[in-house]
Amino acid sequence: MKLKDTGLTKTELKALVDTYMIDTYERFDMIAETAKDMYIYNENGEGYLDFYAGVAVNSTGNGNEKVIAAVEDQLKDVMHTFNYPYTIPQALLAKKVCTTIGMDKIFFQNTGTESNEAMIKMARKYGVEKYGPHKYNIVTAFDGFHGRTYGSMSATGQPDNGCQIGFKPMIPGFTYAKFNDLNAFKAAVTENTIAIMIEPVQGEGGVYPASMEFMKGLRELCDEKGLLLLLDEIQTGWCRTGAIMSYMNYGIKPDIVSMAKALGGGMPIGAICASAEVAAAFTPGSHGTTFGGHPVSCAAALAEVDELLEKNLAENSRKMGSYFMNKLEKLPHIREVRGQGLLVGIEFDKHIDAADIKHEAFERHLLITAIGSHIIRMVPPLILTKSDCDKAFEILYKCVESVAGTNTELRCG
């Protein structure tokens, strides 16, 4: 739908949002009217280089034609049913996902936070049924982020400065330990612990990849103690980090892995995959969802996964991520550039406010996001080219120069 088709002005449309919608987002001053490949276009047809990708969703590019065609075809057949009858896209997607990432079983959800809820529930049910009612505790990482429903929010290790504020008390049964500190996780494990749950790369926590030693050590710890390793790959999964799933970068395998975002190519879908033994904890009636495994979302996901694999976008993510991060090291006022594949973070020194960079970038038609005071995060479509990287770098360089030029402390120094 185009703005001209509504009979409204931009000001009037924004007024509708202000009047009727609950305000939880800081919005850019643009109407996202159309999108294609690496660009989103506003109501005037002006293009914005998209290094946001719907928050790591549109991995095969905005408006991927094969994904759109799959959605259109499925809409003509069955738009929605429930999970009592078999549906063709769901069955085909189940096989495609499990065989591609080497897991046994899958359960479809609608979103990332729902997928993490399902992962938590499965781990606890498995622990209680196998070991007894005391075996329910899950150790997660400080500064991690797992979602905004109560189970996933309780798993999020931000008790004093994050999404838990104003919503306490949290659900009991979660313990937090320092990310990338294997000894801290070992110390947090007790006789009540059933699982360890982390992100391979902490996204909202500042774009911190797990070290090889830490990830392999967690797998060994879980094997030694009879614990489950739960990996939240909502943001890192499906070629974002230079491998199909981030855990493949470490040569390990989880007991349960959650996914969403890039899986659907723009349509809402999430899932958990598990080993056959652990998946057996879910039996008829123990868990369910009205829209999970939606035929249209599954059709979109099937096309998206095919595109990711056929175009070898994991390899492109690895190559372009390395190229882009090397360029970003040349920006002024940098403390650190870090990431994995095309999940990229820049931490600036104390003189540069990340929000200022984000807004300055928007004015120069580059879409990025800020994390905290001094970190920006970029998760572009995985069809990214060197030319796109070069253009983004040039814009960011001008943004840093502009923001630094308005900093009184720098000017006086």
Side-chain angles (χ1 to χ4, degrees):
M1 181 179 291
K2 306 293 194 299
L3 182 63
K4 63 182 178 60
D5 299 325
T6 68
L8 300 171
T9 65
K10 180 180 178 180
T11 300
E12 289 170 337
L13 187 76
K14 291 168 61 178
L16 291 181
V17 173
D18 292 339
T19 301
Y20 296 108
M21 294 186 67
I22 297 171
D23 184 14
T24 62
Y25 302 106
E26 181 188 1
R27 295 182 183 271
F28 289 128
D29 187 19
M30 69 176 291
I31 297 172
E33 196 169 75
T34 60
K36 186 63 179 172
D37 297 331
M38 287 298 302
Y39 284 85
I40 294 178
Y41 298 90
N42 69 10
E43 67 280 1
N44 298 317
E46 300 168 328
Y48 290 75
L49 184 57
D50 183 11
F51 271 54
Y52 197 54
V55 196
V57 168
N58 303 319
S59 290
T60 57
N62 292 292
N64 182 278
E65 292 179 0
K66 290 187 178 180
V67 175
I68 291 172
V71 168
E72 290 175 341
D73 287 345
Q74 185 58 41
L75 284 171
K76 299 171 187 175
D77 296 329
V78 177
M79 183 182 294
H80 176 64
T81 177
F82 188 54
N83 287 305
Y84 290 159
Y86 297 95
T87 58
I88 295 168
Q90 189 181 94
L92 296 178
L93 180 62
K95 177 184 178 182
K96 173 69 76 172
V97 170
C98 288
T99 57
T100 298
I101 69 171
M103 300 296 285
D104 296 327
K105 298 283 188 176
I106 191 168
F107 189 95
F108 292 111
Q109 299 277 177
N110 304 289
T111 66
T113 190
E114 287 180 28
S115 300
N116 282 337
E117 289 280 338
M119 182 160 66
I120 291 165
K121 288 177 66 177
M122 180 177 281
R124 284 189 167 184
K125 194 167 186 289
Y126 172 84
V128 168
E129 290 180 347
K130 184 170 183 177
Y131 299 106
H134 68 287
K135 205 74 168 177
Y136 62 87
N137 182 263
I138 298 174
V139 181
T140 70
F142 281 114
D143 297 320
F145 181 81
H146 300 292
R148 297 183 184 276
T149 50
Y150 260 97
S152 58
M153 186 165 56
S154 300
T156 293
Q158 301 177 21
D160 300 318
N161 62 350
C163 65
Q164 294 184 7
I165 302 300
F167 297 105
K168 295 181 179 180
M170 292 291 105
I171 294 172
F174 292 95
T175 304
Y176 312 124
K178 185 179 178 181
F179 189 70
N180 267 337
D181 187 334
L182 184 59
N183 288 330
F185 271 78
K186 288 180 178 179
V189 171
T190 70
E191 63 179 9
N192 296 326
T193 303
I194 185 56
I196 290 172
M197 176 178 174
I198 66 159
E199 306 156 272
V201 182
Q202 287 193 327
E204 297 292 331
V207 191
Y208 290 96
S211 69
M212 183 67 73
E213 178 185 12
F214 178 63
M215 191 68 88
K216 284 185 174 294
L218 288 183
R219 180 68 273 179
E220 292 170 1
L221 175 63
C222 289
D223 291 341
E224 176 188 343
K225 299 289 186 180
L227 308 177
L228 303 179
L229 180 59
L230 317 181
L231 294 184
D232 174 350
E233 294 234 28
I234 305 302
Q235 188 163 188
T236 57
W238 294 106
C239 304
R240 170 62 52 188
T241 63
I244 295 174
M245 304 298 287
S246 182
Y247 64 78
M248 296 175 179
N249 289 314
Y250 300 92
I252 66 159
K253 189 174 176 180
D255 298 289
I256 316 176
V257 59
S258 61
M259 62 192 72
K261 290 189 180 291
L263 178 62
M267 291 294 290
I269 190 171
I272 58 170
C273 285
S275 68
E277 178 187 354
V278 178
F282 273 8
T283 54
S286 63
H287 190 61
T289 164
T290 298
F291 291 105
H294 192 282
V296 180
S297 290
C298 285
L302 194 59
E304 175 78 356
V305 171
D306 283 343
E307 283 280 270
L308 288 167
L309 299 179
E310 289 172 8
K311 293 181 177 178
N312 198 13
L313 292 185
E315 178 65 12
N316 193 60
S317 175
R318 185 188 66 78
K319 289 181 178 178
M320 290 300 100
S322 177
Y323 176 81
F324 190 42
M325 284 190 276
N326 284 336
K327 285 191 72 75
L328 293 174
E329 294 281 0
K330 301 173 185 177
L331 289 174
H333 299 288
I334 292 291
R335 284 192 59 193
E336 186 177 25
V337 176
R338 53 182 178 261
Q340 193 176 88
L342 284 172
L343 175 49
V344 178
I346 304 174
E347 183 171 355
F348 295 98
D349 63 30
K350 65 179 182 178
H351 301 294
I352 303 296
D353 187 280
D356 291 340
I357 297 293
K358 179 184 77 171
H359 292 297
E360 184 72 23
F362 172 75
E363 294 300 323
R364 298 174 186 270
H365 288 211
L366 172 67
L367 302 179
I368 59 175
T369 188
I371 306 171
S373 299
H374 303 291
I375 302 170
I376 63 170
R377 176 184 54 177
M378 291 172 284
V379 282
L382 306 184
I383 59 172
L384 188 75
T385 66
K386 287 185 177 180
S387 176
D388 298 320
C389 292
D390 294 345
K391 184 172 182 178
F393 173 79
E394 291 172 6
I395 293 173
L396 286 169
Y397 201 102
K398 292 176 182 176
C399 290
V400 176
E401 285 187 324
S402 176
V403 170
T406 62
N407 188 303
T408 305
E409 184 178 346
L410 284 176
R411 291 204 311 268
C412 294

